[in-house]
Amino acid sequence: MVTDAAQRGERRRMRTRAMLIDAAEELLANGPFASVRIEDIADGADMSVGAVYVHFENKDGVIAAVGERIATRAVEQLSAAFEPGASPYEQFSSAGPAYMRFLLDNPAFVRYLATEPAGHESQVLQESASRTISALLTLFEAAIQACVDAGQIRPVDARLMAHFLFGAWNGVAGLVLGPSGATLTAADVEQCLEQARHIVLAGLASTPARTEGIPR
């Protein structure tokens, strides 16, 4: 039987662990992997270095936890955009804004997905980002295919369309959050996405006669 004291201890442990992950994610959102030290993570969480090692074996362990938490957040946020009862077309059209909001709210993910140079030091995050993007692409591909099957958009290769759209969204987020420092405000990003969304949806809704000569 689990005692009240044991339950309180477990809650404290989980809170401490979450605070360390919070601190590491904040550091990764604002600087390269190589610049993040165990001491920085401890300072960010207002804890001792020893506290970090109580919960994680090393720096990679903390970073892996950051990646897994962002992955869960990403899938949950995109899945929430697919409202039960909505038509396939409505679910598909709401996915873009939901994903862009996720990207802008998670700069650490964008950094290691699109802007951080590949290398051994950031491998743990890059691998996590790769797994996350694969899961998200699967969700979005299914949404596009559902629209095709329902006759709500023109026949397209759902897998290729999902990759194209994700590439576009990641590119915009990379321009905003990456080292290039593109001067786009949050309002600019919203307008950019809305404009592109209307263009893409209009194209997908086009009849074959209007798109004659365009390869499918």
Side-chain angles (χ1 to χ4, degrees):
M1 181 177 179
V2 179
T3 65
D4 289 344
Q7 290 178 336
R8 287 195 297 272
E10 178 62 14
R11 287 195 294 269
R12 283 196 298 271
R13 190 186 75 81
M14 294 304 294
R15 282 197 300 270
T16 299
R17 191 175 190 276
M19 290 170 67
L20 291 168
I21 298 173
D22 287 342
E25 183 175 348
E26 179 69 20
L27 290 165
L28 289 167
N30 292 289
F33 181 94
S35 70
V36 178
R37 304 175 305 158
I38 288 289
E39 292 83 358
D40 299 324
I41 296 172
D43 286 345
D46 195 23
M47 296 178 192
S48 68
V49 170
V52 182
Y53 288 109
V54 167
H55 295 272
F56 301 97
E57 181 178 355
N58 51 32
K59 173 181 166 180
D60 278 357
V62 188
I63 302 311
V66 172
E68 289 307 311
R69 186 166 72 175
I70 292 177
T72 299
R73 190 186 299 155
V75 173
E76 288 178 349
Q77 192 160 329
L78 188 57
S79 297
F82 302 143
E83 296 183 11
S87 71
Y89 184 82
E90 289 170 334
Q91 292 185 341
F92 166 51
S93 64
S94 67
Y99 183 61
M100 183 58 76
R101 283 193 297 272
F102 163 75
L103 291 174
L104 296 178
D105 289 342
N106 293 273
F109 179 75
V110 176
R111 176 180 292 278
Y112 289 92
L113 174 72
T115 64
E116 185 76 1
H120 173 72
E121 288 185 325
S122 58
Q123 183 177 355
V124 65
L125 271 182
Q126 289 170 343
E127 290 176 352
S128 179
S130 179
R131 291 193 300 271
T132 303
I133 230 14
S134 178
L136 294 173
L137 281 167
T138 297
L139 282 172
F140 199 60
E141 180 182 338
I144 296 171
Q145 189 61 53
C147 287
V148 172
D149 294 344
Q152 295 181 329
I153 62 174
R154 58 179 291 207
V156 294
D157 186 312
R159 182 178 66 88
L160 297 181
M161 180 59 67
H163 277 76
F164 166 74
L165 292 174
F166 267 72
W169 294 325
N170 294 334
V172 172
L175 285 173
V176 177
L177 300 172
S180 60
T183 55
L184 289 179
T185 66
D188 290 334
V189 171
E190 184 175 353
Q191 185 175 357
C192 173
L193 177 61
E194 188 64 16
Q195 177 175 274
R197 188 169 72 93
H198 282 296
I199 292 171
V200 170
L201 292 175
L204 288 173
S206 296
T207 63
R210 290 176 58 190
T211 55
E212 186 176 354
I214 299 177
R216 297 188 178 191

